[in-house]
Amino acid sequence: MSAGPVERPPGEAGGGSAAPASPRALAWRRRRHSLGRFWAGYRGNRAGLAGLAGLAVFVLIALCAPLLIGPADLSLTDAPGGPHEPPSAAYPLGTDNYGRSILDLVIWGSRVSLTVGFLATLMCVGLGTLVGIVAGHYGGFGSTVLMRITDWVLVLPALVLAVAFAAVMGQGTVTIILAIGLTAWPTTARLVRAQTLAVEARPYIDRAKALGGGHGHVMTRHVLPNVMPIVLAQTTLTVAESIIMESTMAFLGLGDPNTLSWGGTLQEARNAGAVSSGLWWHLLPPGLAIVLVALAFTLCGRAIEGVLNPRLRERR
Amino acid sequence: MTAQTGPDPATRDDAGDRAVPGGAAAPVLSAEGLEVRFKGRGDRGVARAVDGVHLDVRAGEIIALVGESGCGKTTLARTLLGLERPTDGRVTFEGRPLSYTGKALKAYRRRAQLVLQDPSGSLNPRHVVYDAVAEGLRIHYGVTADEKAKVADALARAGLRPPERFFLRYPHELSGGQRQRVVIAGALVLDPEVIVADEPVASLDASVRGEILALLLRLRDDLGLSALVVTHDLGLAWNIADRVAVMYLGRVVESGTVEEVLTAPRHPYTQALLSVLPEGGVAERVVLTGEPPDPTRVPGGCRFHARCQILASGEADRAGIADRCRGEDPGVLPAGSDSHLAACHYAALGEPAGT
Ligand SMILES: Nc1ncnc2c1ncn2[C@@H]1O[C@H](COP(=O)(O)OP(=O)(O)OP(=O)(O)O)[C@@H](O)[C@H]1O
Ligand SMILES: [Mg+2]
């Protein structure tokens, strides 16, 4: 690992000639400055770079999927190939029981998997951050109640809850997003609350209060920026979790049968008897895609954590 | 320092002569019987950090609050700004008791500012200097057009010049003294009427310290700023304060004008503090013995008696008050008096003390 001396991004401490900068320009320059510093640290983490590259590939594939695959390629009744053809030049990963190219299915499935992963993550990280900051900032009885609820949700088996959800709301992508979002937030909430408590004990919080800042000011201007690194790292880790969860739920048949996702493809493979008849090309590609995407997000998450959390950085 | 009202050594410390008509301005900020207690964790008792303090800060007056470490100066300062709720007594601003609702506190804190003791921790490490100084402005006025000019002006007044050079620095890129000046600039930018400053210049070198103190004096003279300056440094108190309050174990034990308190101290504690100054005129040094004060165990009688050199040397015995020192609380000094007061049985005898 290239542990060179921390370099200062150039161009901000530049003498008294910086007079005509407006506050907004200042803010931008500052943001660029801290982004540069972050990138310098991230670059040193090779696993993180690999994760980032993998992520970029997956996102690119998901975005370009409509250009590569036409609706006819995914048609159930009018599939291009024969059922369960082994890999060949025409179908590099073989075909499924309807005769669709597995490669096409995996490529198309990335769209749903990534979308659900991101949306569910957005929801659960948002909820977790809100609960964590509010519980950490206000303290008192309300905070205790909030944290008891958090602990309770934390030990609830997410899958059982998700099945119950699907029973109430009907199966579908939205159900999956909600189920993940409403069960996965407690980890974030606990982390954020711990960090909030640490930040709230700092003297600059007293200074902000003495300047007249209220709860909103303290929470948004001081606590939030300080918990953001943790939230960011947590987000990337949660995306990986959400994608796995989505696949699991789709595999269990809780997903929308009309949308293609990796978990859904796996479920179809099982229903088609791929496990017993050794049709590995039907099972392996979607499974590998899930593993790879989760790995990429986890690598990024760990790298971000390492750069932003000084305590972890020292240990490295 | 013009309030030399007749050096009468035999001033009695009874509370009869409050609010000399025409003599003193009305208090802007005052503590009335202020008491702050902290519940101890586990088997620790209740800490009486501030234990009945009367103190007036009048318009255009600078008061120095001196006392050894742990006597409750910071707690008093924080309580005056409403950061700590008093367990008893009250804080009044312009004669009205402080209201602890969010809105009232915010309005109060536009006019009164606190400079915290720890300059390194007082700045958010993720905010650059510009944001730190502009914070108060944004809280009270939002983002305004003249924000940048005001920030630059405040930084320049606090001695960071040219101010533009510091706008984008993070606190960790500044020296301790520069950080302290950023904190001071952040308080000045709101043009406060009262400043409560907790050891504002402890981390500054002599020249910058002089500059900050000169600034305080100028603000007082030009704008009628009132200030309560907490300090360990009696020399500093001498240079800027109009009045001095000496604190011991949560109480003000002596108060009066600077000249009175620092040249003719009446309380044995003040005498001991002064005697260890290198340039002190006092003949012999008094090094305080006994345990350092513990606010969870405030001794009965006079709270200073266990360490009092007058009592230890037997002088109190000869004066026939040793029992009162050990058993009778000399009481709480009133605020708003212009005379030189000391909470001490021995000083109350009216003898020239400490010779
Ligand atoms: N939050 C708290 N909880 C419990 N005890 C406290 C708390 N804050 C202060 N104390 C106690 O109150 C006493 C007074 O503390 P304070 O900080 O006011 O002293 P100080 O005079 O400012 O000292 P220094 O000169 O060292 O800054 C100390 O004994 C301290 O231990
Ligand atoms: Mg202090």
Side-chain angles (χ1 to χ4, degrees), chain A:
Chain A
M1 229 151 270
S2 59
V6 180
E7 59 215 77
R8 285 272 150 69
E12 92 293 341
S17 61
S22 73
R24 187 172 303 171
L26 286 176
W28 270 110
R29 256 200 287 173
R30 195 184 70 237
R31 241 164 260 159
R32 265 215 319 273
H33 173 170
S34 47
L35 208 64
R37 224 173 14 188
F38 171 77
W39 178 240
Y42 192 94
R43 222 170 28 194
N45 187 326
R46 237 176 281 160
L49 281 183
L52 196 64
L55 215 65
V57 170
F58 271 108
V59 170
L60 208 68
I61 288 177
L63 289 177
C64 298
L67 303 176
L68 305 171
I69 303 160
D73 294 328
L74 300 173
S75 159
L76 287 177
T77 49
D78 193 18
H84 282 149
E85 279 182 38
S88 64
Y91 306 109
L93 294 176
T95 61
D96 71 352
N97 46 332
Y98 300 106
R100 298 176 295 183
S101 165
I102 302 279
L103 183 62
D104 288 355
L105 292 180
V106 170
I107 289 177
W108 199 262
S110 67
R111 292 169 71 82
V112 169
S113 293
L114 286 180
T115 311
V116 171
F118 280 126
L119 287 183
T121 300
L122 203 69
M123 193 173 152
C124 85
V125 167
L127 198 61
T129 308
L130 188 70
V131 170
I133 290 184
V134 166
H137 177 80
Y138 287 101
F141 181 71
S143 154
T144 312
V145 171
L146 221 48
M147 287 329 281
R148 286 296 150 269
I149 296 176
T150 307
D151 289 340
W152 181 67
V153 177
L154 193 65
V155 296
L156 275 186
L159 260 179
V160 177
L161 204 73
V163 173
F165 247 80
V168 176
M169 299 185 46
Q171 38 180 242
T173 313
V174 177
T175 306
I176 294 189
I177 294 176
L178 280 179
I180 299 173
L182 291 179
T183 51
W185 58 269
T187 332
T188 313
R190 294 190 65 96
L191 279 171
V192 167
R193 177 172 166 270
Q195 180 70 9
T196 303
L197 289 177
V199 172
E200 293 267 349
R202 311 280 310 161
Y204 56 80
I205 299 293
D206 275 344
R207 175 173 173 268
K209 286 185 195 156
L211 281 170
H215 295 297
H217 175 84
V218 169
M219 285 192 279
T220 55
R221 296 287 299 144
H222 292 280
V223 176
L224 191 62
N226 275 295
V227 301
M228 251 358 243
I230 284 192
V231 169
L232 191 61
Q234 191 60 24
T235 303
T236 38
L237 296 175
T238 310
V239 174
E241 241 175 76
S242 302
I243 286 175
I244 292 177
M245 184 77 178
E246 187 272 334
S247 304
T248 313
M249 291 177 64
F251 179 73
L252 291 177
L254 297 173
D256 182 351
N258 297 320
T259 54
L260 274 174
S261 74
W262 293 332
T265 306
L266 278 176
Q267 189 218 5
E268 277 177 8
R270 195 192 51 159
N271 288 346
V275 183
S276 48
S277 29
L279 302 171
W280 57 267
W281 61 87
H282 200 173
L283 285 168
L284 218 50
L288 270 181
I290 294 169
V291 170
L292 284 180
V293 123
L295 183 68
F297 273 109
T298 308
L299 287 178
C300 287
R302 294 277 175 241
I304 294 174
E305 215 173 35
V307 175
L308 295 179
N309 188 338
R311 242 175 309 163
L312 284 178
R313 201 183 331 164
E314 274 155 30
R315 217 188 300 155
R316 206 149 43 89

Side-chain angles (χ1 to χ4, degrees), chain B residues 38-40 44 47-50 67-76 84 117 198-199 230 232 247 293-296:
Chain B
F38 294 110
K39 282 238 172 58
R44 289 199 59 212
R48 289 148 73 177
V50 176
E68 69 192 320
S69 187
C71 68
K73 306 184 296 293
T74 298
T75 310
L76 177 60
E84 217 81 69
Q117 184 167 12
D198 197 353
E199 316 251 1
V230 172
H232 278 126
M247 212 168 157
D294 177 358
T296 59

